[in-house]
Amino acid sequence: MATHVLLSAFLYVLLTVARAPKIWGIGKRADGSNPWAAFEPRISANLSNQFEWPLFFHIACLLFIVSGSGDPKVVTLSWVFILGRVVHSLVQILSNNVRVRGLVFTINFLAVIALWAMML
């Protein structure tokens, strides 16, 4: 859970840097344009994504913590989810490849579904 919070915090910093030329004039090109203009909407969209499906991941983690489950499968699925979120962020921010992003999201989705299934 902490790693996902760190990823989200990093994305906030990255978004601030990407918006700096437009908002504060810091880092503008000589012609006044923002060198991050193409990336800013992608970073913003990815940051929003960190508060959608990951909510179910955090709830599942909290339920496992409260129940005292130390099952290695839970830890493995959690890391699959976190690594998937990092890859998803990279794909969404650095490319327009919706197919790859969809595949990575599916892996994240299935990891969380498996966590929830283990609670039943």
Side-chain angles (χ1 to χ4, degrees), residues 70-88:
D71 189 336
K73 287 183 247 172
V74 171
V75 174
T76 300
L77 286 168
S78 295
W79 279 112
V80 166
F81 176 79
I82 292 301
L83 293 173
R85 290 313 298 175
V86 170
V87 172
H88 184 270

Side-chain angles (χ1 to χ4, degrees), residues 41-120:
R42 293 181 197 171
I43 298 166
S44 182
N46 187 260
L47 186 56
S48 293
N49 291 158
Q50 302 309 319
F51 298 97
E52 295 169 357
W53 187 246
L55 172 69
F56 298 104
F57 166 73
H58 286 277
I59 292 170
C61 287
L62 289 173
L63 291 172
F64 280 114
I65 290 168
V66 168
S67 72
S69 174
D71 189 336
K73 287 183 247 172
V74 171
V75 174
T76 300
L77 286 168
S78 295
W79 279 112
V80 166
F81 176 79
I82 292 301
L83 293 173
R85 290 313 298 175
V86 170
V87 172
H88 184 270
S89 293
L90 291 170
V91 171
Q92 186 170 14
I93 293 168
L94 299 176
S95 80
N96 285 321
N97 195 329
V98 177
R99 255 187 209 170
V100 172
R101 197 170 89 213
L103 176 63
V104 175
F105 175 81
T106 301
I107 293 167
N108 289 316
F109 178 83
L110 293 174
V112 173
I113 292 296
L115 286 171
W116 278 89
M118 289 176 67
M119 282 188 271
L120 299 177

